Amino acid sequence: MERIVVDGDTRVLVLTGAGVSAESGIPTFRDANGLWENHPVEQVASPGGFAADPLLVWRFYSQRREGASRCRPNGGHEALAKLEAALGDRFLLATQNVDGLHRDAGNTRLVEMHGNLFMSRCAMCDYGPEEDRTVYPAGEVPGCAACHGRGEFGILRPHIVWFGEALDPADLYRIEAFMRAAARGRFVFLAAGTSGVVYPAAGLVDRARAMGAETWLVNLDPPDNVGAFEHFVRGRSGEVLPTLFDVV
Ligand code: BV8
């Protein structure tokens, strides 16, 4: 297997998707019987879907909270935490995953581009985002205590970026700033476990390549955008990532 040699002048930006958590037991989105199989995206992961049926959306996210709370990081998560420990500020991890497993594995130089399953905020006022690991029973939509304290009616929503919602500009700025610094030396961009379908995350490889990055993809099978990468390592990220890097 090809390996990525990382010397003192190399900065590494990693983008992960649902495939990195698959070996921890978290269902992916687009594989057969994936998460979206049972629910049309618009219904459970869009502002319109939440406005139309907050009960259904909270049931969908409560089920995912319940499932994810039983899952642990796998060898792929651990390899990325080890790489951050070796590289320090020459490493940044941008994840599309909302399961929190990169945090559990020890990554701190982490951008959770699509939010976090275990955080909630008020859909009406500026309360939150706060940690919230509650699995709400079917038929219950959590209210916002801050709103209620003012005699208003507000409900909580998952702190997740839904389709049609903008990502946090501060997150995008942090990734861009890292890429610009990386472009001044040797810049390695690695994507792992992602079908490269969802933007703007899927556009990162194009931006990195335009800035001179060496581009790598680790994926179970070649996604539609495999051609955007110079190197493609086919396999399970939990098996490939632990031996992919040679830090010199
Ligand atoms: C926005 C939270 C604008 C929900 C998610 C161009 C530019 C900008 C936007 C767009 C654009 N074109 C279209 C859009 C709109 C849209 C979009 O991209 N749509 C797609 C479907 C075409 N984008 C948006 O709406 C974004 N917002 O751009 O807003 C804007 C600007 C200003 C003002 C207002 C609006 C928001 C996107 C975020 C959506 N939220 N998640 C939730 O999680 O509940 S996206 C969702 O898909 C997940 O986060 C997931 O991570 C993400 C991507 O999926 P993947 O992670 O890649 O997972 P997938 O299952 O697809 O693939 C897994 C891969 O792993 C597979 O290839 C499989 O083979 C592989 N694999 C499996 N096992 C393993 C493995 N690989 C290795 N090892 C294994 N063991």
Side-chain angles (χ1 to χ4, degrees):
M1 175 181 85
E2 285 181 285
R3 299 188 74 198
I4 302 175
V5 177
V6 179
D7 62 18
D9 182 41
T10 304
R11 278 180 167 76
V12 181
L13 173 63
V14 181
L15 170 70
T16 58
V20 163
S21 294
E23 291 156 83
S24 293
I26 305 239
T28 62
F29 289 87
R30 291 168 187 84
D31 287 343
N33 74 20
L35 266 173
W36 300 138
E37 296 281 302
N38 309 324
H39 300 283
V41 168
E42 298 66 36
Q43 242 189 352
V44 290
S46 75
F50 183 68
D53 190 347
L55 279 174
L56 171 68
V57 173
W58 266 114
R59 194 154 77 239
F60 176 64
Y61 282 96
S62 283
Q63 281 166 351
R64 287 175 62 194
R65 267 187 190 171
E66 210 275 323
S69 62
R70 292 198 300 266
C71 296
R72 296 290 168 264
N74 61 58
H77 296 103
E78 283 153 12
L80 295 177
K82 224 168 112 190
L83 187 63
E84 173 179 325
L87 299 188
D89 64 7
R90 291 188 288 119
F91 173 94
L92 186 65
L93 173 52
T95 186
Q96 300 171 88
N97 299 339
V98 298
D99 54 38
L101 290 179
H102 286 304
R103 287 180 189 229
D104 295 347
N107 279 107
T108 56
R109 292 182 55 78
L110 172 66
V111 178
E112 293 178 313
M113 302 173 80
H114 295 163
N116 187 300
L117 201 47
F118 298 106
M119 298 182 86
S120 299
R121 67 174 197 257
C122 180
M124 320 286 192
C125 79
D126 58 3
Y127 162 80
E130 292 273 338
E131 184 173 356
D132 176 6
R133 308 188 77 88
T134 312
V135 177
Y136 294 101
E140 186 179 314
V141 172
C144 168
C147 283
H148 295 179
R150 291 189 299 271
E152 296 160 10
F153 177 73
I155 58 172
L156 299 186
R157 59 165 281 179
H159 182 56
I160 294 272
V161 180
W162 282 326
F163 287 96
E165 291 189 317
L167 278 66
D168 181 341
D171 286 346
L172 298 175
Y173 171 77
R174 188 171 175 202
I175 295 167
E176 176 71 19
F178 183 86
M179 290 201 283
R180 291 190 186 193
R184 289 199 288 272
R186 179 161 167 266
F187 175 16
V188 170
F189 175 81
L190 165 71
T194 180
S195 60
V197 167
V198 172
Y199 285 82
L204 285 180
V205 60
D206 303 320
R207 181 89 185 105
R209 195 177 57 249
M211 296 171 86
E214 190 182 307
T215 52
W216 292 72
L217 173 67
V218 171
N219 217 59
L220 190 62
D221 48 36
D224 292 348
N225 73 333
V226 65
F229 296 86
E230 290 157 284
H231 305 267
F232 172 51
V233 181
R234 182 167 197 159
R236 298 187 182 290
S237 48
E239 293 159 15
V240 170
L241 293 181
T243 57
L244 181 62
F245 292 93
D246 183 7
V247 180
V248 296

